[in-house]
Amino acid sequence: VQLQASGGGLVQAGGSLRLSCAASGRSFSTYGMGWFRQAPGKEREFVAGINGIGDSTYYIDSVKGRFTISRDNAKNTVYLQMNSLKPEDTAVYYCAAKERFRVSYNYWGQGTQVTVSS
């Protein structure tokens, strides 16, 4: 599966952005999808994940209540709605996919830059 992320940009603190990740290939609904981010000088971290049919989601604590991951399997797309953005959310955001029974993600898209100004 190939992944193409978009939607990043520059936003003021408290603002919102929606990231999109379009997937090519077959059987999109069989893949778990996730969003990761990497800030300058830091390791890449998991942000949010969603299962294949979209009825189970999970988040790191720092984004709970502010970010929402969702997917539209008819459009082969996963989204990350980011509200109440903070400067510490500034990072390159990556979408990723994994087959149903894998623990780790093995398909990665290119990153999209999110910059939150204070």
Side-chain angles (χ1 to χ4, degrees), residues 90-116:
T90 295
V92 178
Y93 283 71
Y94 299 89
C95 63
K98 63 183 179 77
E99 285 96 348
R100 184 178 299 167
F101 299 111
R102 284 184 61 93
V103 173
S104 60
Y105 290 83
N106 56 327
Y107 299 98
W108 295 86
Q110 93 294 354
T112 185
Q113 176 71 47
V114 171
T115 303
V116 184

Side-chain angles (χ1 to χ4, degrees), residues 54-111:
D55 65 349
S56 180
T57 58
Y58 29 101
Y59 304 88
I60 55 170
D61 286 346
S62 60
V63 308
K64 284 181 181 177
R66 300 188 299 121
F67 290 11
T68 302
I69 188 171
S70 61
R71 66 191 296 160
D72 184 339
N73 287 343
K75 296 182 178 180
N76 281 16
T77 302
V78 64
Y79 306 97
L80 185 67
Q81 178 67 44
M82 305 185 295
N83 299 328
S84 302
L85 282 161
K86 304 175 181 181
E88 52 263 44
D89 295 317
T90 295
V92 178
Y93 283 71
Y94 299 89
C95 63
K98 63 183 179 77
E99 285 96 348
R100 184 178 299 167
F101 299 111
R102 284 184 61 93
V103 173
S104 60
Y105 290 83
N106 56 327
Y107 299 98
W108 295 86
Q110 93 294 354

Side-chain angles (χ1 to χ4, degrees), residues 3-51:
L3 305 173
Q4 179 75 35
S6 62
L10 173 64
V11 64
Q12 289 188 336
S16 299
L17 282 175
R18 187 175 82 155
L19 305 183
S20 299
C21 177
S24 63
R26 299 179 179 178
S27 304
F28 177 67
S29 63
T30 66
Y31 290 88
M33 300 297 296
W35 286 96
F36 291 72
R37 66 186 180 187
Q38 187 167 20
K42 296 186 177 181
E43 293 187 353
R44 185 171 58 192
E45 66 172 350
F46 170 83
V47 176
I50 188 167
N51 69 343

